[in-house]
Amino acid sequence: MIQPVILSGGSGTRLWPLSREQMPKQFLCLTSSQSLLQQTLTRLAGLTDAAPMVMGHHSHRFLMAEQLREMDQTATLVLEPEGRNTAPAIACAALLARHAGDDPLLLVLPADHVIGDVQAFQHSVSLALPLAEAGYLVTFGVVPTQPETGYGYIACGEPLEGGHHLAAFIEKPDAQRAAALVESGDYLWNSGMFLLRASTYLGQLKRLQPTMLEACEEAVGGARRDLDFLRLGEVAFRRCPADSIDYAVMEQCDRAAVVPLAADWSDIGSFDALWATVTPDAAGNATKGDTWLTNTQDSLVFGEHRLVATLGVNNLIVVETSDCVLVAHRSQAQQVKQLVTSLTQAGRTEPCTAAQVQRPWGSFQAMDSGERYQVKRITVKPGGRLSLQRHHHRAEHWIVVRGTAQVTLEERRFLVTENQSTYIPIGALHRLENTGKIPLELIEVQSGSYLGEDDIERLDDVYARDSNE
């Protein structure tokens, strides 16, 4: 049996401001009408009947659940209290997969990749199956189409049936070395995808990283159910060393193999990689949204909320969102991560907070703010129910623009329909629900001395959230 394990813990900082800590790239629809996570799940069709195991950060649990619900996809959702890299995540997945006495082959896939040729991907998996069944830890090496400094490389060793012994991992090279590696024909891009027997991986981990395995065993042993999620034991998992499977196991294992993959693959790890998924116009420009380019060449221009116009420029990356605009030279595409780090160190919230904030009941988007006031547009999906709560520092005015709101205010319960409004005083117990069949949309005007999301006292919440979620 093949047990899919989807690693959904990435942050995608090189795609800021599209990708944020609260809404990383795996949950975005960057190349199709499906998110990258949904595309990853879709390409499993025909490979296995086993429900996937999705490993992700606890703060993204409702995003994961909602995107699976949209697909009518069942899965085991495993929550990490914090990111500890791929080796511990795969170890916990292997331990959970063996819990019922089974010993499946784990097909480990990052949630944020794009694969254009699904048939070729599944063919490479079929080539890897005999190797994994024979006790090899198999990774997939992408056949390079050009020198690339944004990817690590894998050196191919002696031939095996369907692949090669894995000789070495090469860190991201400079341009000159990347050209030499591709020219030699002996190196593949490191995809970060694996096929391995659960017991084989755990055995290698016990030999090479016993402290990591012990922490993972304790984290799985202390896991607890929370609604539809499985939370790993926090103390034990935080104690686990943070290492990649490449460094912790594959580089030191004498039973590591690599199978070539030629399937139009990309990790969408930078704007250059995203660019490659868009068909350019005659001037070499890639655009999305409401854009107007004049005398512009070889540029990527994305507009999400308003017209973006360029004049007399070339080789630029221009990305507009409702709260941020990025302008960068194409040669700096790999440096966006450093920009995001500097913004975070300066105390800016934009690297973390998305303009549209997702909640299990729907979403909200900030529209305007100033001293002692804030305006939001709130969408509550059908059946969505906010917590029974009160605020100690702010009052709220709700104006319904679509649908019907069911409002609880202290001892009263009443309906507010389109073009009607209601007022929630400071300290008043209240709840908002959508019992209708269409999304409920309303404008919320907050006023008071403190408007932070943590000014909330929850008395009842069907989603079992903390105060700032």
Side-chain angles (χ1 to χ4, degrees):
M1 182 181 72
I2 293 179
Q3 170 63 62
V5 177
I6 312 301
L7 304 181
S8 186
S11 58
T13 51
R14 289 185 179 87
L15 289 181
W16 183 87
L18 298 179
S19 178
R20 314 283 181 100
E21 183 178 321
Q22 290 184 356
M23 179 61 86
K25 65 176 180 174
Q26 59 266 32
F27 302 113
L28 301 179
C29 300
L30 295 174
T31 63
S32 77
S33 60
Q34 286 188 317
S35 72
L36 299 183
L37 169 61
Q38 290 171 329
Q39 291 181 50
T40 303
L41 293 165
T42 298
R43 72 177 65 107
L44 294 171
L47 274 179
T48 177
D49 293 328
M53 188 183 303
V54 183
M55 315 285 294
H57 194 273
H58 74 96
S59 64
H60 299 149
R61 64 192 184 280
F62 297 116
L63 285 171
M64 294 189 293
E66 176 63 16
Q67 295 209 344
L68 267 66
R69 185 200 65 80
E70 290 175 356
M71 302 175 64
D72 196 24
Q73 170 76 62
T74 59
T76 301
L77 300 177
V78 184
L79 306 181
E80 302 170 317
E82 65 179 44
R84 306 304 290 164
N85 217 316
T86 55
I90 298 170
C92 290
L95 290 165
L96 290 168
R98 297 216 65 198
H99 187 69
D102 298 322
D103 190 16
L105 296 176
L106 306 182
L107 179 61
V108 181
L109 305 174
D112 55 0
H113 291 182
V114 169
I115 292 180
D117 189 340
V118 174
Q119 185 175 356
F121 161 72
Q122 294 193 354
H123 176 67
S124 290
V125 173
S126 69
L127 293 178
L129 278 171
L131 293 172
E133 289 171 344
Y136 283 93
L137 303 181
V138 185
T139 189
F140 297 89
V142 177
V143 179
T145 56
Q146 62 190 27
E148 176 58 63
T149 61
Y151 299 144
Y153 286 71
I154 294 172
C156 296
E158 293 298 316
L160 290 168
E161 186 67 32
H164 297 266
H165 285 281
L166 195 158
F169 286 95
I170 311 295
E171 293 295 326
K172 295 176 182 178
D174 58 26
Q176 182 176 357
R177 191 179 188 201
L181 295 177
V182 173
E183 178 68 23
S184 74
D186 296 325
Y187 295 84
L188 305 170
W189 289 338
N190 184 3
S191 74
M193 299 187 291
F194 301 88
L195 184 68
L196 40 85
R197 179 79 66 188
S199 60
T200 303
Y201 179 67
L202 294 173
Q204 291 290 345
L205 207 63
K206 183 176 182 179
R207 180 176 68 87
L208 298 169
Q209 306 290 340
T211 301
M212 180 183 294
L213 179 59
E214 181 182 351
C216 290
E217 289 173 334
E218 188 175 337
V220 170
R224 61 181 176 85
R225 282 285 169 189
D226 176 7
L227 301 177
D228 295 328
F229 310 103
L230 182 66
R231 289 182 177 271
L232 297 174
E234 293 188 16
V235 175
F237 195 76
R238 293 180 191 275
R239 193 177 70 243
C240 189
D243 282 327
S244 70
I245 182 177
D246 297 348
Y247 176 80
V249 176
M250 298 294 286
E251 288 184 345
Q252 306 176 62
C253 174
D254 58 1
R255 297 282 287 177
V258 57
V259 168
L261 173 68
D264 193 17
W265 170 93
S266 173
D267 71 347
I268 312 294
S270 68
F271 282 109
D272 278 342
L274 180 59
W275 196 323
T277 68
V278 180
T279 302
D281 62 19
N285 299 309
T287 63
K288 184 178 181 181
D290 190 3
T291 61
W292 192 272
L293 280 59
T294 302
N295 192 22
T296 298
Q297 293 83 37
D298 301 320
S299 294
L300 181 144
V301 183
F302 275 24
E304 284 198 343
H305 289 84
R306 56 184 65 83
L307 170 66
V308 179
T310 62
L311 174 62
V313 298
N314 58 77
N315 289 305
L316 286 186
I317 296 168
V318 182
V319 179
E320 176 271 338
T321 67
S322 64
D323 62 336
C324 299
V325 177
L326 170 70
V327 181
H329 195 273
R330 283 186 62 183
S331 64
Q332 299 297 302
Q334 294 290 340
Q335 308 307 315
V336 174
K337 182 176 182 179
Q338 283 70 33
L339 170 64
V340 172
T341 299
S342 65
L343 288 170
T344 302
Q345 292 172 344
R348 302 291 305 227
T349 60
E350 289 87 351
C352 175
T353 305
Q356 186 176 66
V357 179
Q358 301 295 318
R359 289 291 187 254
W361 44 260
S363 64
F364 68 83
Q365 183 167 350
M367 298 176 63
D368 192 15
S369 63
E371 186 176 356
R372 297 182 64 87
Y373 82 90
Q374 185 167 242
V375 182
K376 295 180 178 179
R377 186 181 186 94
I378 294 177
T379 301
V380 185
K381 62 189 179 184
R385 187 183 195 207
L386 280 68
S387 61
L388 184 65
Q389 58 185 261
R390 62 164 59 97
H391 307 295
H392 298 284
H393 302 283
R394 73 174 186 250
E396 297 177 346
H397 299 256
W398 297 344
I399 304 98
V400 174
V401 296
R402 183 187 184 207
T404 299
Q406 180 169 283
V407 178
T408 299
L409 181 58
E410 295 293 358
E411 302 300 325
R412 299 170 54 210
R413 176 177 279 188
F414 53 94
L415 298 178
V416 182
T417 60
E418 291 183 14
N419 300 315
Q420 294 182 336
S421 65
T422 190
Y423 168 64
I424 311 297
I426 293 176
L429 197 63
H430 63 279
R431 167 176 268 156
L432 176 65
E433 301 177 65
N434 180 6
T435 57
K437 301 295 185 183
I438 65 172
L440 165 65
E441 297 182 10
L442 58 90
I443 303 299
E444 178 183 84
V445 181
Q446 303 175 355
S447 60
S449 59
Y450 179 72
L451 306 174
E453 286 300 309
D454 55 347
D455 177 25
I456 180 172
E457 178 187 352
R458 286 198 174 100
L459 285 83
D460 176 59
D461 181 42
V462 296
Y463 309 110
R465 292 169 294 161
D466 296 331
S467 61
N468 62 345
E469 291 186 295

